[in-house]
Amino acid sequence: AAQLVTGLARGSEETPAAAEHLLQATSLEHRTFVLLASLVASLACSERTGAADRWCDSLQRDAGAQGATTWQAVFTGLRAVVAYRQGRLVAAEDHARTALTLITARGWGIAIGIPLSVLVQVATAMGKYREALGHLCTPVPDALFSSPLGLPYLLARGRYYFAREDFGAALRDFS
């Protein structure tokens, strides 16, 4: 885990291998959930989207078998992120919508930024600006903007504003 954190901070090429090693060596349970979700996210961010998708699928099924709906929702949301990064917009939208049906918006807490950011980016990329705005109207906790999970949300919102030629609002979200 320490190697992963160091690698992420330095942009090490060894980080994806370390992440996969930890994923293989760690079973999904209460004390490992956050670590596993972080490892999958690190794979997605390191352009190992194929591996990230396979791990999301596996962990999603494992969470479902354990009746852990929240875990299942998070891995489904991460799968949406992966699909978006792969350019599979329809799949990204489907996964994000599914994630939001598994638990309530309030139940997501600050993690709601994961599926919402994907929905906003997909709708914006498809030119569905009303739909994107509808997703942006979904209430999010203020704490989202003080966490790393707020960054993808601000990026998605900034891209929406940029596409709508509201450059001032876009600049505020990008800075």
Side-chain angles (χ1 to χ4, degrees), residues 4 11 14 33 39 45 62 79 102 108 110 113-114 116 127 148 162:
L4 174 69
E14 297 160 1
F33 164 70
L39 292 169
C45 292
D62 194 8
R79 203 155 187 208
L102 290 170
W108 275 93
I110 62 171
I114 297 168
L116 275 183
F162 188 83

Side-chain angles (χ1 to χ4, degrees), residues 16-61:
E20 287 212 67
H21 177 74
L22 277 170
L23 281 161
Q24 291 170 358
T26 308
S27 60
L28 179 61
E29 52 190 75
H30 183 71
R31 65 182 180 79
T32 63
F33 164 70
V34 172
L35 171 65
L36 292 171
S38 299
L39 292 169
V40 169
S42 76
L43 286 177
C45 292
S46 67
E47 302 304 324
R48 299 277 294 267
T49 56
D53 191 48
R54 287 188 298 279
W55 279 107
C56 280
D57 181 50
S58 174
L59 291 164
Q60 200 179 354
R61 281 186 275 120

Side-chain angles (χ1 to χ4, degrees), residues 64-175:
Q66 293 183 45
T69 307
T70 300
W71 300 351
Q72 192 176 12
V74 169
F75 289 118
T76 304
L78 287 171
R79 203 155 187 208
V81 171
V82 170
Y84 179 77
R85 291 181 62 89
Q86 292 173 328
R88 298 183 304 119
L89 300 183
V90 173
E93 181 180 38
D94 289 344
H95 291 310
R97 287 186 189 281
T98 299
L100 288 171
T101 64
L102 290 170
I103 53 178
T104 66
R106 187 170 184 222
W108 275 93
I110 62 171
I112 196 166
I114 297 168
L116 275 183
S117 66
V118 171
L119 289 172
V120 171
Q121 290 193 87
V122 167
T124 300
M126 293 179 162
K128 299 177 181 177
Y129 302 124
R130 281 185 197 217
E131 192 174 311
L133 182 58
H135 298 307
L136 288 171
C137 289
T138 301
V140 297
D142 290 338
L144 172 68
F145 302 104
S146 300
S147 79
L149 296 175
L151 295 175
Y153 184 85
L154 289 170
L155 177 63
R157 192 172 70 182
R159 286 181 174 166
Y160 165 79
Y161 287 139
F162 188 83
R164 301 298 296 157
E165 298 184 6
D166 186 347
F167 303 120
L171 185 61
R172 282 189 296 279
D173 280 350
F174 291 149
S175 47

